[in-house]
């Protein structure tokens, strides 16, 4: 299975990085092709709604940023992992910029999106209700509209500071288990 991990946490040693590391630890003994992309290191412009993607054959978008390469990776992957801090009950701005540009995938495939599996791993400073809006979005866009299959959603709440993870060992073990289940599923 080819797995693409899209990370939108700004901090190299932050909470989002910790949950990604736990997930990858669960996958470590598997025979997967895994690629991680830190979206914060890639230039992703906002969608211009120019609709040029309707006419393109050799790429997704006319903009000269990192989007085409990322969308190529998504199309080549079986499972996409979205790992993001939650800001104001939603993905980080960097992740949102990428998802807004999924419009180009829809245009390229006449809105018959290629079937994908996905996992969401998220951290939030607030309580568990911080994930409600995100879950609604995921259900409406990824599941209902794009027809992607959700394998897991795991949100770690009350993560205001990096030191908060000292008390989050159970969460990290649960996220590692998500990676292990995916590994076993593919064996």
């Amino acid at each position: 299975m080819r797995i693409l991990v899209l990370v939108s946490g700004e901090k190299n040693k932050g909470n989002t990085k910790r949950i990604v590391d736990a997930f990858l630890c669960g996958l470590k003994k598997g025979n997967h092709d895994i690629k991680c992309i830190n979206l914060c290191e890639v230039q992703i412009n906002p969608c211009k709604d120019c609709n040029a993607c309707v006419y393109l054959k050799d790429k997704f978008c006319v903009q000269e940023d990192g989007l085409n390469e990322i969308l190529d990776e998504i199309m080549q992957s079986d499972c996409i992992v979205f790992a993001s801090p939650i800001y104001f009950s939603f993905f980080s701005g960097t992740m949102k910029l990428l998802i807004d540009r999924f419009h180009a995938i829809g245009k390229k495939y006449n809105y018959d999106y290629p079937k994908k599996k996905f996992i969401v791993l998220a951290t939030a400073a607030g309580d568990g209700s911080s994930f409600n809006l995100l879950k609604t979005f995921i259900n409406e866009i990824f599941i209902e509209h794009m027809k992607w299959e959700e394998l897991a959603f795991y949100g770690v709440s009350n993560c205001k500071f990096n030191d908060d993870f000292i008390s989050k060992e159970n969460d990290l073990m649960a996220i590692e288990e998500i990676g292990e289940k995916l590994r076993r599923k593919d064996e």
Side-chain angles (χ1 to χ4, degrees):
M1 177 181 287
R2 187 166 186 172
I3 301 167
L4 177 63
V5 181
L6 300 170
V7 183
S8 67
E10 292 280 346
K11 300 174 187 168
N12 289 334
K13 295 182 180 180
N15 294 329
T16 303
K17 174 76 166 106
R18 289 179 185 201
I19 61 173
V20 169
D21 289 346
F23 173 76
L24 293 174
C25 186
L27 281 175
K28 70 181 173 190
K29 296 176 185 161
N31 190 20
H32 302 290
D33 179 8
I34 303 167
K35 179 163 189 169
C36 291
I37 298 175
N38 184 339
L39 298 177
C40 299
E41 297 173 357
V42 180
Q43 176 65 38
I44 302 173
N45 298 328
C47 179
K48 294 182 178 185
D49 195 29
C50 65
N51 284 316
C53 51
V54 173
Y55 307 103
L56 295 173
K57 302 290 183 223
D58 60 335
K59 60 183 181 176
F60 288 97
C61 184
V62 295
Q63 292 192 64
E64 297 297 327
D65 60 3
L67 179 83
N68 286 302
E69 292 79 16
I70 293 172
L71 293 184
D72 283 338
E73 290 289 342
I74 288 172
M75 291 299 97
Q76 294 170 28
S77 298
D78 302 300
C79 180
I80 297 92
V81 178
F82 298 90
S84 178
I86 302 305
Y87 301 139
F88 294 100
S89 299
F90 207 72
F91 283 126
S92 71
T94 307
M95 185 70 76
K96 180 72 169 72
L97 281 172
L98 171 67
I99 293 169
D100 283 350
R101 303 275 297 280
F102 279 11
H103 177 65
I105 299 173
K107 293 286 187 175
K108 189 168 195 82
Y109 293 98
N110 199 27
Y111 293 101
D112 184 16
Y113 290 89
K115 302 298 180 235
K116 302 290 174 189
K117 295 175 172 64
F118 73 95
I119 294 170
V120 174
L121 304 174
T123 60
D127 62 18
S129 67
S130 300
F131 304 111
N132 293 343
L133 179 62
L134 181 60
K135 288 178 181 178
T136 299
F137 170 83
I138 287 166
N139 187 57
E140 290 180 11
I141 301 302
F142 290 166
I143 298 172
E144 297 296 325
H145 179 68
M146 297 174 73
K147 307 295 186 217
W148 286 7
E149 179 186 350
E150 181 180 327
L151 297 181
F153 180 105
Y154 199 94
V156 182
S157 57
N158 299 311
C159 297
K160 295 181 178 94
F161 308 102
N162 286 343
D163 293 343
D164 290 342
F165 259 90
I166 294 169
S167 62
K168 303 286 183 191
E169 194 61 35
N170 289 339
D171 289 311
L172 293 174
M173 287 176 12
I175 292 168
E176 186 173 332
E177 178 63 25
I178 292 169
E180 289 175 9
K181 284 180 183 175
L182 187 57
R183 183 191 78 226
R184 287 192 302 265
K185 186 177 188 177
D186 198 40
E187 289 177 343

